[in-house]
Amino acid sequence: TQTKKIFRFKFTENLVDEMKEFSRIHKFDDRHDFKDAWEMWLVKNDTLISEERHRLESDGYTGDIEDKMFKSVRYYYRKK
């Protein structure tokens, strides 16, 4: 069997929903408040993030998952 190479690693729908909700709540925060809220969100959602990290790493993702999530929240979901 040949394994298919993944070029775009996507988050699970459950995590995306949580990230979108965070973005909606903090849409108008300045960057310092946004970052502080993000740090608290990471702690609160530690289990979900750990599961996602394990899933992505088992799929071959080697990057910084929290950085990927932060960029998604800050620059993508927040603008929608």
Side-chain angles (χ1 to χ4, degrees):
T1 59
Q2 183 180 12
T3 57
K4 185 177 173 188
K5 180 120 171 93
I6 300 172
F7 292 101
R8 184 169 183 200
F9 292 88
K10 295 183 179 178
F11 296 120
T12 57
E13 190 173 333
N14 189 25
L15 182 62
V16 168
D17 290 343
E18 293 294 326
M19 290 166 52
K20 284 180 180 177
E21 179 65 10
F22 176 86
S23 294
R24 186 187 65 74
I25 293 168
H26 298 283
K27 185 173 193 163
F28 300 109
D29 289 3
D30 68 34
R31 63 188 182 91
H32 296 293
D33 292 341
F34 189 91
K35 184 80 167 158
D36 290 343
W38 177 250
E39 295 297 329
M40 289 189 291
W41 186 87
L42 289 175
V43 172
K44 180 181 161 212
N45 292 282
D46 183 58
T47 303
L48 181 64
I49 295 165
S50 293
E51 291 168 358
E52 191 72 7
R53 178 179 292 112
H54 178 71
R55 184 187 69 79
L56 287 172
E57 287 173 351
S58 68
D59 285 348
Y61 185 74
T62 58
D64 183 334
I65 291 163
E66 288 181 13
D67 184 57
K68 178 178 173 62
M69 289 170 38
F70 180 78
K71 287 176 181 169
S72 294
V73 167
R74 180 89 174 139
Y75 303 109
Y76 181 67
Y77 298 124
R78 196 173 72 130
K79 303 288 188 225
K80 285 194 160 201

